[in-house]
């Protein structure tokens, strides 16, 4: 039987902006708080260099700088970072149990899940190598780097079309490449496309390969799935928006209510259907996955955890 290494009021799983804000609010409200992270602080936000849309920074802020500041702020109020990979969670135990890769087991009366999500890759050759060199998974994060340039957006859901609308105001040309003849996106997003002269649609087309020049994206090769016709477009940016994947493997078998895509079902309070288990950030069902919405989630989930622990 493994010894319990430590016990906390609250364990926060993940040090993205949602998790770090949850840790800050929990610790600041007087709860003993552990903040688990297997990598460095920051989560998905550090996939981008510069954040230009996080309020409060006129000139934007480097993602790592913001992550470092968030983590330091939580620590200032006593949140303890446990730099270990969580490998097992027992969310039904009382207290709840958190096992890490080193074999340690921690206990906590409440758990806040802030494990985030990852963009779904397209899965084509060269995509990984060109990520950050023209391939992006976040238009609102990286669109500004492609001002007056030609870009492609791949996908046909709300994210892809919203990305295209956003990029159309920044970029000279936006080529939407979608594998079917109809968008999955809601009409409220697709309707404005017709009035944008710099948005071109390539329906029933898939990206076969990425063109590269001097280590950066220089274009995409397309194939029409109906006619088989092949085509090439010169673009400097490729925004992949083919959905995200929640990082839920730790609690996939816990019985937590999740939607069909695997996001944990909760409203903005972060309360899940398991008492004492809360969720914050990208792994929660929500409309807009951004750093600014993640921090709001973190604050709400910590507040809900505080209420749960106080009123039990
Ligand atoms: P999504 O709705 O799952 O759409 C993914 C899109 O990518 C689909 O058009 C899909 O094509 C395409 N796709 C998937 N795999 C592909 C592949 N291998 N190659 C080419 N295309 C591929 O994902 P999302 O747009 O990220 O949205 C996720 C959720 O967030 C949705 O529920 C969405 O409504 C929600 N959301 C809401 C808002 C909002 O309300 N403001 C904004 C953004 C997102 P098919 O259509 O052919 O399957």
């Amino acid at each position: 039987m493994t010894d319990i290494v430590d016990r906390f009021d609250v364990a926060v799983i993940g040090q993205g902006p949602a998790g770090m804000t949850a840790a800050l609010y929990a610790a600041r409200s007087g709860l003993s708080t552990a903040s688990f992270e297997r990598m460095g602080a920051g989560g998905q936000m550090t996939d981008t260099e510069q954040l230009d849309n996080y309020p409060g920074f006129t000139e934007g802020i480097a993602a790592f700088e913001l992550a470092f500041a968030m983590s330091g702020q939580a620590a200032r109020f006593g949140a303890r970072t446990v730099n270990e990979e969580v490998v097992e969670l027992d969310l039904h135990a009382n207290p709840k149990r958190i096992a890490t890769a080193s074999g340690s087991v921690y206990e906590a009366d409440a758990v806040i899940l802030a494990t985030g999500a990852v963009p779904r890759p397209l899965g084509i050759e060269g995509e990984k190598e060109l990520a950050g060199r023209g391939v992006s998974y976040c238009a609102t994060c990286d669109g500004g780097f492609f001002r007056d340039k030609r870009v492609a957006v791949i996908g046909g859901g709300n994210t892809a079309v919203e990305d295209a609308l956003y990029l159309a105001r920044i970029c000279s040309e936006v080529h939407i490449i979608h594998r079917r003849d109809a968008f999955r996106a809601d009409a409220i997003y697709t309707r404005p496309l017709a009035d944008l002269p710099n948005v071109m649609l390539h329906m029933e087309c898939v990206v076969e390969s990425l063109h590269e020049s001097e280590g950066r994206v220089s274009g995409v090769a397309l194939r029409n799935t109906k006619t088989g016709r092949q085509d090439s477009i010169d673009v400097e940016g490729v925004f992949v928006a083919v959905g995200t994947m929640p990082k839920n493997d730790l609690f996939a078998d816990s019985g937590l209510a999740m939607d069909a895509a695997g996001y944990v079902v909760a409203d903005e309070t972060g309360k899940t259907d398991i008492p004492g288990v809360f969720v914050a950030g990208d792994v929660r069902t929500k409309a807009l996955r951004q750093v600014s919405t993640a921090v709001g989630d973190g604050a709400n989930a910590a507040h809900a955890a505080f209420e749960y622990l106080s009123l039990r």
Side-chain angles (χ1 to χ4, degrees), residues 164-184:
L165 295 174
Y166 177 81
L167 293 166
R169 274 185 262 120
I170 301 171
C171 305
S172 58
E173 275 180 30
V174 179
H175 295 263
I176 303 181
I177 300 160
H178 180 37
R179 64 183 177 184
R180 284 193 296 125
D181 64 349
F183 282 116
R184 178 178 295 276

Side-chain angles (χ1 to χ4, degrees), residues 13 27 36 72 83 104 106 108 112 151 164 170 206 218 251 307:
I13 318 298
F36 290 81
N83 266 128
S104 305
Y106 298 81
I112 298 175
V151 298
I170 301 171
V206 290
S218 60
F251 39 87
E307 276 190 343

Side-chain angles (χ1 to χ4, degrees), residues 122 155-160 162 178-180 184 189 241-243 287 289:
L122 250 191
N158 280 337
T159 302
E162 222 182 6
H178 180 37
R179 64 183 177 184
R180 284 193 296 125
R184 178 178 295 276
Y189 293 110
V242 296
R289 295 188 164 87

